[in-house]
Each structure stands twice: as C-alpha cells, then as structure tokens.
Amino acid sequence: MTAPDQKADFSGVSAQVDTTAEKVEKADFSGVRANVDTTAEKVGGSAAQTYTVRSGDTLSHIAKQFYGKASEWNTIYAANRDQLDDPDRIKPGQVLTIPARDDQPTG
C-alpha cells in the first residue's frame, strides 16, 4: 500500500549547463563561395511546359499533342493532381504542367 499525498523529493537534485559559445570563436565563412548550375541544357533535357486548357480538350488530346501518344494522358494527370480530382473533368482556362519526357512522374 502506498502512502497518500506522498510526493517525490527532488531537494538533492542539481543541474549544471556548460556552453561553448563564449569559448569558441565564431566560424568564418567569408571565403565560402557557392555556385548552382543546371544540367538540363548540358545533357539535352528539356524543361516542363505549361498548357492552357481550351474548350473541347481532353488529357488524351493534350498528351497526343505533346508526347505523340494519347495513352500518356496519365503523365499529365499525375503532374497536376494538385488541381485535378478527376482526369475527365478538366476545364477551359486551367493551366496544366506538361512534364518534359525525362521528367515524367512515376507511380
């Protein structure tokens, strides 16, 4: 049986925090340089494009236009899932991302 209302005794506990902030000089990054370069043009890749949906368009029609195959419609659908809930319900005026052939999403 435990004693009612008995609390833990922490009176003998102590803590110490030591910091090195004042002991170490600040790092000097003044000589650090960075350069970001794209490889898209260097390896023959192409960037994604956009397409504004027109009245009568379907994803299959758009895929045929960009990829040469209507069956590639799902590539466009996958790249635009943030704005397309149903591949059969695209609307005129929507701006779709058309992935480059080598940028096609997987899955």
Side-chain angles (χ1 to χ4, degrees), residues 27-42:
D28 179 12
F29 293 106
S30 62
V32 175
R33 299 179 83 187
N35 185 26
V36 177
D37 195 10
T38 180
T39 58
E41 295 158 357
K42 295 179 181 178

Side-chain angles (χ1 to χ4, degrees), residues 12 15 22-23 31-33 38 41-42 44-45 47-49 55 59 68 77 82 85 88 90 92 95 97 103 105:
E22 297 172 5
K23 297 177 184 176
V32 175
R33 299 179 83 187
T38 180
E41 295 158 357
K42 295 179 181 178
Q49 300 177 56
S55 181
L59 289 181
Y77 178 59
D82 59 327
D85 294 326
D88 293 325
I90 62 174
V95 179
T97 298
D103 291 342

Side-chain angles (χ1 to χ4, degrees), residues 59 77 80-86 89-90 94 96:
L59 289 181
Y77 178 59
N80 292 280
R81 287 300 306 261
D82 59 327
Q83 63 175 322
L84 297 178
D85 294 326
D86 184 337
R89 294 181 184 230
I90 62 174
Q94 282 182 303
L96 303 178

Side-chain angles (χ1 to χ4, degrees), residues 65-80:
Q65 179 180 339
F66 283 92
Y67 302 130
K69 291 182 181 179
S71 61
E72 295 285 335
W73 67 268
N74 55 348
T75 299
I76 299 169
Y77 178 59
N80 292 280

